Amino acid sequence: MVDNVLVTGAAGFIGTNFVYYWLKSNPEDNLFGLDDLTYAGIRENLDEACLEKNFKFIKGDIKNKKFLKKIFEKYKINKVIHFAAESHVDRSIINPEIFINTNIIGTFNLLEVSRNYWQDNSITNHHFHHISTDEVYGDLTINQPSFTESNQYLPNSPYAASKAASDHLVRAFNKTFSIKTTISNCSNNYGPYQFPEKLIPVIIISILKKKKIPIYGDGMQIRDWLHVSDHCRGIELIIKKGINGETYNIGTDNEIENINLVRKICDLVDK
């Protein structure tokens, strides 16, 4: 069966990688990439995808409910893969309102438009998959076990809090309105197309430009690192085999302190 798949945040880092992955893995589907092209959305990322007959790029904002409604009606969307989000912790501290509007209000709009379109048109083969973050669970110490899906939510930044709220909205729409949903909470991604403000690109660029590498605090924050291609495979597995209403953590059990990650990359560049 051919699916009409809406990928939000398609010109961002993970969204771009997912578009190329899905086009290759599911060539029978029609893919619609939606992005508002804010600072981290780069239209040129999708140049090659736009050459494919089953991909269409759409510029638009998930905060615009009327616009979303037109997309669903025009392209008969039955699956949503929701990447679109403000995602930088430091930016969320400087200007948290943007994160509330995009990550919470935007997600609500997308859920509401999806629900109305699918129910009004009796579309049963629908699916709303929401991409979230392990930061909703808070921070780990070196001696603590990895997060599981049963961990309590303990967000420590406006970014993490906004993603936690959007997770709860997705769950609520599943339980209240019987919309078929899944959620994935991933660890830190790295790989091609990543925006240069993120840690690994910052480290590499600083080294290549012979500049000091900026380290937040004492550098002892612990993060699990996931290559974006593995993340895409995990999302596909959830969409195709996941249980309706469930949340799945996607990680690698590859935890390292930020300062030791910096040292490791320095050693690799030296070699």
Side-chain angles (χ1 to χ4, degrees), residues 152-168:
Q152 180 182 355
Y153 273 35
L154 292 170
N156 290 325
S157 69
Y159 160 60
S162 68
K163 292 299 289 185
S166 62
D167 289 3
H168 292 320

Side-chain angles (χ1 to χ4, degrees), residues 146-262:
S146 300
F147 294 126
T148 71
E149 290 83 354
S150 61
N151 269 88
Q152 180 182 355
Y153 273 35
L154 292 170
N156 290 325
S157 69
Y159 160 60
S162 68
K163 292 299 289 185
S166 62
D167 289 3
H168 292 320
L169 280 171
V170 175
R171 174 183 167 83
F173 268 69
N174 175 268
K175 299 301 180 183
T176 303
F177 302 114
S178 299
I179 297 301
K180 296 175 184 176
T181 69
T182 45
I183 299 171
S184 55
N185 297 88
C186 69
S187 53
N188 285 37
N189 280 227
Y190 69 99
Y193 302 105
Q194 188 162 26
F195 199 71
E197 72 183 358
K198 300 295 185 177
L199 180 58
I200 288 180
V202 164
I203 297 169
I204 295 170
I205 291 168
S206 298
I207 294 170
L208 295 177
K209 291 188 175 181
K210 297 182 172 20
K211 292 183 176 180
K212 290 184 177 180
I213 301 170
I215 304 294
Y216 180 78
D218 60 5
M220 296 305 292
Q221 302 86 356
I222 298 168
R223 296 289 182 264
D224 179 48
W225 291 94
L226 170 68
H227 194 276
V228 67
S229 62
D230 292 325
H231 187 190
C232 291
R233 289 193 299 114
I235 293 170
E236 181 183 36
L237 189 63
I238 293 168
I239 291 169
K240 293 186 174 181
K241 296 188 177 182
I243 298 171
N244 178 34
E246 283 295 322
T247 293
Y248 296 89
N249 287 354
I250 303 178
T252 61
D253 198 21
N254 187 28
E255 293 158 357
I256 186 172
E257 298 93 344
N258 285 348
I259 189 67
N260 287 329
L261 175 67
V262 172

Side-chain angles (χ1 to χ4, degrees), residues 48-87:
E48 292 183 26
C50 289
L51 299 175
E52 301 293 332
K53 63 180 181 180
N54 59 332
F55 177 79
K56 180 176 179 59
F57 176 77
I58 305 166
K59 185 183 184 306
D61 189 347
I62 61 171
K63 299 190 294 295
N64 187 334
K65 191 183 288 187
K66 290 183 179 179
F67 180 73
L68 289 175
K69 185 178 178 181
K70 290 179 181 178
I71 291 174
F72 274 73
E73 291 173 346
K74 182 175 182 179
Y75 300 113
K76 299 179 172 34
I77 302 298
N78 70 299
K79 280 187 170 55
V80 175
I81 319 297
H82 180 35
F83 291 95
E86 296 287 344
S87 63

Side-chain angles (χ1 to χ4, degrees), residues 2 23 31 92 102 105-106 109 127 155 216 237 252:
V2 175
L23 285 171
L31 211 58
S92 79
T102 299
I105 303 302
N109 287 344
H127 192 139
Y216 180 78
L237 189 63
T252 61

